[in-house]
């Protein structure tokens, strides 16, 4: 079966396509039907001349999302969005769709989420899911090309990996409780001792009891684990890996990125080295007390704020101007529609700018007053990453805020060999990794210190008893990466059926 994505190669041929009606315009002797089949979009032109009265009438009856089979000739036409059109000769109707709830006008997010099963068909959602697919494939390509073995950690576990606050609990037969996995890392460490370089790629469950635009309750994580790697090698790998994914998406997803109107500056900068900053320096930068390449993070946020405020003013002026044109009247019905749509669109943009103009001062405030020793929240990540146009690595973290298994610095034991990768443009943390502690006694102390049940970790401690070696790994949040590369403002759009605080349906 021919897919729309392949029709350009069939120029001049008559082809048959199956799909759904994305939209339709009609004139007296003609109907223009935009067909989508999951692989792409193409305008199909039904003219009275070519199809006759009956088929033209049928084409005119088509409603949004009706399912059809269209036969016609492939014609190249530069003026078309995707370079081709179909001069239809035949039409078979599978079903005339009932009135479709999702139209071109703005819908509220709740409405769209309740209709997620239909919303998936919209162009933007289509583009996001296609990019998700490309990222997933790139992940496997990268690791398979670099000597890694893909493996799997259990999803039902008998104990928590890093603490219990965000665990989902379930019954395990009559007597036992099981937890849904929050990370496969400890298991990956065991498997790495058997297979050397491994990665898992599976679902992860965290009860994040607040709604943020970056946290799902069920998300996918890639967790490589490498025997004989130290923190330095881990950071090298993270950088090469992220560059590989981003380059793959840029090379193969031009159409999708265009539909999403994704600013491509990120892709153009990705091959530059990622800066590496210690946590302690990052804190000073966030507080505005240290500059990086002569730039101050707080000043940078203030400049951003000024720009947002100016943009907002310009938007509001444009809205007022367009409203004036409407009020004056004396314009055609088509123009009224056009102006009304334009106003709706501008208002959405203005609202976003307005939200931003309120957020940035909060980020500045929370950064200036940030206490050394705490974990970064979103405001601090925004402040720090405002200085960079590539992802940035923050390493050497205070032991107190990181997981028990991270290796301590010998000469600075209050710090551990952990690293976080923060995406540019404020998309936040996408990778958390570390070199793992190898010293049995230090691990035992850490498990006690974190009040974790020792008996549950005996198997893990065996890895330090039998051929313990330096090793390291990281976890990359799959949806965080998709969010960053697609530029969507909420992580719920990066997975077909998202699960997050307050949502379990559809
Ligand atoms: P954050 O501080 O952003 O909540 P974390 O420190 O809890 O993240 P890790 O435990 O290091 O994250 O998990 C590894 C990666 O998994 C993170 O870098 C992030 O990309 C992703 N991640 C973590 N929690 C979530 C979540 N609730 N939804 C989606 N992705 C997540
Ligand atoms: Mn978290």
């Amino acid at each position: 079966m021919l897919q729309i994505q392949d029709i350009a190669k069939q120029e001049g041929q008559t082809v048959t396509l199956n799909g759904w009606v994305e939209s339709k315009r009609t004139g007296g002797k003609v109907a223009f039907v935009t067909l989508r089949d999951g692989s792409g979009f193409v305008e199909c032109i039904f003219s009275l001349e070519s199809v006759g009265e009956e088929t033209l009438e049928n084409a005119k009856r088509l409603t949004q999302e009706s399912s059809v089979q269209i036969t016609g000739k492939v014609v190249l036409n530069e003026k078309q969005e995707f370079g081709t059109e179909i001069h239809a000769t035949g039409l078979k109707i599978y079903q005339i769709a009932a009135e479709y709830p999702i139209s071109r006008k703005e819908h509220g997010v709740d409405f769209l989420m309740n209709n997620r099963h239909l919303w998936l068909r919209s162009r933007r959602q289509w583009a996001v899911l296609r990019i998700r697919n490309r990222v997933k494939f790139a992940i496997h390509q990268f690791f398979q090309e670099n000597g890694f073995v893909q493996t799997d950690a259990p999803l039902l576990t008998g104990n928590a990996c890093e603490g219990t606050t965000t665990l989902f609990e379930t019954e395990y037969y009559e007597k036992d409780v099981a937890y849904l996995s929050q990370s496969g890392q400890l298991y990956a460490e065991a498997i790495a001792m058997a297979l050397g370089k491994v990665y898992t790629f599976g679902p992860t469950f965290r009860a994040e009891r607040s709604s943020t635009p970056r946290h799902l309750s069920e998300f996918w994580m890639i967790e490589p684990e490498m025997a004989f790697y130290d923190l330095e090698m881990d950071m090298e790998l993270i950088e090469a890996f992220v560059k590989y994914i981003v380059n793959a998406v840029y090379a193969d997803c031009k159409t999708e990125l265009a539909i999403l109107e994704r600013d491509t500056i990120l892709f153009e900068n990705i091959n530059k080295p990622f800066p590496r900053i210690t946590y302690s320096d990052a804190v000073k930068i966030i507080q505005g007390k240290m500059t990086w390449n002569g730039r101050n993070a707080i000043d940078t946020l203030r400049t951003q704020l000024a720009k947002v405020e100016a943009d907002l003013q310009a938007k509001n002026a444009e809205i007022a101007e367009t409203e004036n044109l409407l009020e004056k009247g004396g314009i055609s019905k088509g123009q009224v529609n056009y102006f009304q749509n334009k106003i709706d669109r501008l208002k959405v943009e203005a609202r976003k700018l307005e939200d931003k103009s309120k957020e940035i001062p909060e980020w500045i405030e929370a950064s200036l007053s940030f206490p050394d020793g705490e974990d970064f929240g979103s405001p601090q990540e925004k402040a720090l990453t405002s200085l960079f146009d590539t992802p940035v690595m923050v390493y050497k973290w205070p032991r107190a805020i990181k997981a028990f298994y991270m290796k301590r610095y010998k000469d600075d034991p209050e710090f551990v060999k952990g690293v976080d990768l923060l995406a540019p443009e404020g998309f936040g943390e996408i990778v958390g990794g570390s070199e793992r502690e190898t010293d049995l006694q230090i691990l035992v102390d850490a498990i006690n210190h974190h009040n974790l049940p020792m008996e549950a970790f005996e198997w893990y401690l065996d890895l330090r008893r039998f051929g313990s070696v330096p090793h390291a790994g990281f976890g990359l949040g799959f949806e965080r990466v998709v969010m960053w590369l697609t530029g969507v403002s909420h992580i719920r759009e990066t997975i077909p059926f998202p699960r997050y605080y307050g949502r379990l349906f559809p």
Side-chain angles (χ1 to χ4, degrees):
M1 200 175 68
L2 184 68
Q3 291 185 294
I4 291 174
Q5 66 184 358
D6 298 320
I7 58 176
K9 291 174 233 153
Q10 308 282 328
E11 186 195 358
Q13 305 288 313
T14 293
V15 299
T16 296
L17 297 166
N18 287 303
W20 295 264
V21 174
E22 188 189 40
S23 61
K24 184 195 66 186
R25 289 180 293 131
T26 55
K29 294 178 177 175
V30 63
F32 302 91
V33 172
T34 301
L35 185 73
R36 59 165 199 87
D37 73 344
S39 82
F41 307 85
V42 65
E43 187 166 82
C44 305
I45 301 157
F46 291 82
S47 65
L48 181 61
E49 236 183 354
S50 323
V51 296
E53 193 111 18
E54 193 187 341
T55 302
L56 180 61
E57 281 316 305
N58 280 336
K60 286 185 176 177
R61 279 198 308 135
L62 294 175
T63 53
Q64 187 184 354
E65 289 307 315
S66 288
S67 41
V68 293
Q69 183 176 80
I70 293 176
T71 302
K73 195 166 106 180
V74 179
V75 177
L76 299 190
N77 179 357
E78 277 174 18
K79 291 201 187 109
Q80 287 288 357
E81 203 177 350
F82 301 105
T84 50
E85 61 193 28
I86 300 284
H87 292 185
T89 50
L91 170 68
K92 181 177 131 188
I93 297 174
Y94 289 104
Q95 195 223 4
I96 296 282
E99 193 184 338
Y100 198 63
I102 301 175
S103 64
R104 278 189 185 235
K105 75 174 205 303
E106 280 294 320
H107 295 283
V109 166
D110 257 345
F111 175 83
L112 289 171
M113 280 311 311
N114 288 336
N115 287 284
R116 182 65 177 164
H117 52 295
L118 301 177
W119 187 23
L120 291 174
R121 303 181 190 190
S122 305
R123 261 191 206 203
R124 282 177 57 86
Q125 303 305 312
W126 173 87
V128 171
L129 293 185
R130 301 258 303 184
I131 290 175
R132 180 180 167 99
N133 170 65
R134 187 64 191 93
V135 174
K136 195 173 263 190
F137 186 43
I139 287 165
H140 286 297
Q141 282 179 306
F142 177 84
F143 286 121
Q144 296 292 333
E145 283 165 12
N146 284 286
F148 283 72
V149 173
Q150 208 243 313
T151 191
D152 303 288
L155 299 186
L156 289 171
T157 62
N159 61 278
C161 175
E162 304 184 19
T164 53
T165 48
T166 59
L167 279 178
F168 281 110
E169 224 179 86
T170 183
E171 222 170 81
Y172 197 64
Y173 302 115
E174 289 76 24
K175 297 200 297 283
D176 289 329
V177 160
Y179 304 104
L180 300 188
S181 173
Q182 297 185 300
S183 160
Q185 183 203 311
L186 302 189
Y187 297 98
E189 285 185 52
I191 305 168
M193 300 303 128
L195 293 163
K197 294 201 290 186
V198 301
Y199 68 107
T200 62
F201 191 167
T204 305
F205 305 90
R206 294 189 188 179
E208 310 273 6
R209 280 168 218 282
S210 63
S211 31
T212 83
R214 303 188 290 135
H215 288 89
L216 291 166
S217 307
E218 176 183 308
F219 64 99
W220 289 68
M221 187 147 66
I222 300 89
E223 294 184 277
E225 191 69 36
M226 299 76 65
F228 305 104
Y229 267 52
D230 61 13
L231 179 65
E232 189 64 31
M233 295 160 82
D234 204 22
M235 292 201 278
E236 290 296 324
L237 185 73
I238 292 168
E239 184 164 344
F241 175 48
V242 170
K243 286 185 153 97
Y244 185 94
I245 296 172
V246 176
N247 282 313
V249 167
Y250 196 37
D252 295 340
C253 300
K254 291 272 186 332
T255 301
E256 291 83 351
L257 293 169
I259 285 173
L260 293 163
E261 296 173 319
R262 180 69 175 99
D263 187 341
T264 54
I265 192 85
L266 117 83
F267 298 96
E268 283 144 30
N269 288 321
I270 196 67
N271 296 316
K272 296 189 201 168
F274 298 174
R276 297 179 188 185
I277 305 173
T278 62
Y279 168 86
S280 303
D281 281 347
V283 169
K284 291 186 199 115
I285 292 172
I286 287 162
Q287 295 166 334
K289 292 177 184 158
M290 183 176 148
T291 59
W292 189 270
N293 288 340
R295 293 175 65 216
N296 178 297
I298 299 293
D299 291 344
T300 309
L301 285 183
R302 288 195 177 121
T303 309
Q304 277 180 15
L305 179 60
K307 172 146 194 333
V308 166
E309 281 169 345
D311 287 352
L312 178 58
Q313 224 169 18
K315 267 303 165 234
N316 283 334
E318 208 182 339
I319 292 171
E321 209 174 289
T322 317
E323 279 172 341
N324 263 338
L325 284 174
L326 261 185
E327 258 164 48
K328 254 200 232 143
I331 47 178
S332 74
K333 204 176 147 213
Q335 274 173 317
V336 170
N337 264 335
Y338 172 80
F339 284 138
Q340 197 53 59
N341 284 339
K342 184 171 169 188
I343 290 170
D344 289 349
R345 184 171 47 79
L346 287 171
K347 280 190 173 163
V348 172
E349 287 164 13
R351 209 178 314 133
K352 279 187 197 152
L353 286 168
E354 206 173 316
D355 289 346
K356 231 168 166 201
S357 75
K358 287 179 192 142
E359 277 169 6
I360 298 177
E362 293 168 15
W363 301 341
I364 293 173
E365 187 49 44
S367 294
L368 282 170
S369 63
F370 180 71
D372 195 350
E374 282 191 11
D375 199 2
F376 301 153
S378 183
Q380 291 80 33
E381 290 177 355
K382 306 262 189 203
L384 182 61
T385 57
S386 73
L387 295 182
F388 307 100
D389 52 17
T390 66
V392 44
M393 296 208 203
V394 180
Y395 69 100
K396 195 173 182 183
W397 288 77
R399 180 164 73 94
I401 55 170
K402 286 290 183 188
F404 76 90
Y405 51 71
M406 293 193 186
K407 190 177 178 67
R408 293 194 203 174
Y409 283 84
K410 264 220 174 66
D411 51 358
D412 217 349
E414 284 313 302
F415 289 87
V416 290
K417 297 189 174 184
V419 58
D420 280 4
L421 186 74
L422 306 179
E425 304 169 303
F427 283 93
E429 181 190 325
I430 53 175
V431 172
S434 68
E435 185 175 337
R436 319 306 188 188
E437 185 56 75
T438 46
D439 185 292
L440 183 60
Q441 194 51 52
I442 293 180
L443 263 183
V444 167
D445 292 345
I447 290 168
N448 282 327
H449 181 83
H450 282 80
N451 280 327
L452 296 166
M454 190 63 68
E455 63 288 355
F457 289 93
E458 278 304 328
W459 70 266
Y460 180 70
L461 294 172
D462 270 355
L463 307 178
R464 277 62 178 178
R465 295 186 181 110
F466 305 105
S468 185
V469 297
H471 63 291
F474 61 88
L476 172 125
F478 181 50
E479 284 78 12
R480 290 271 177 94
V481 171
V482 177
M483 183 181 176
W484 169 43
L485 298 185
T486 56
V488 297
S489 56
H490 199 294
I491 196 165
R492 67 186 154 219
E493 288 187 45
T494 63
I495 184 166
F497 291 97
R499 301 288 176 248
Y500 54 94
Y501 190 64
R503 178 153 305 267
L504 191 56
F505 294 102

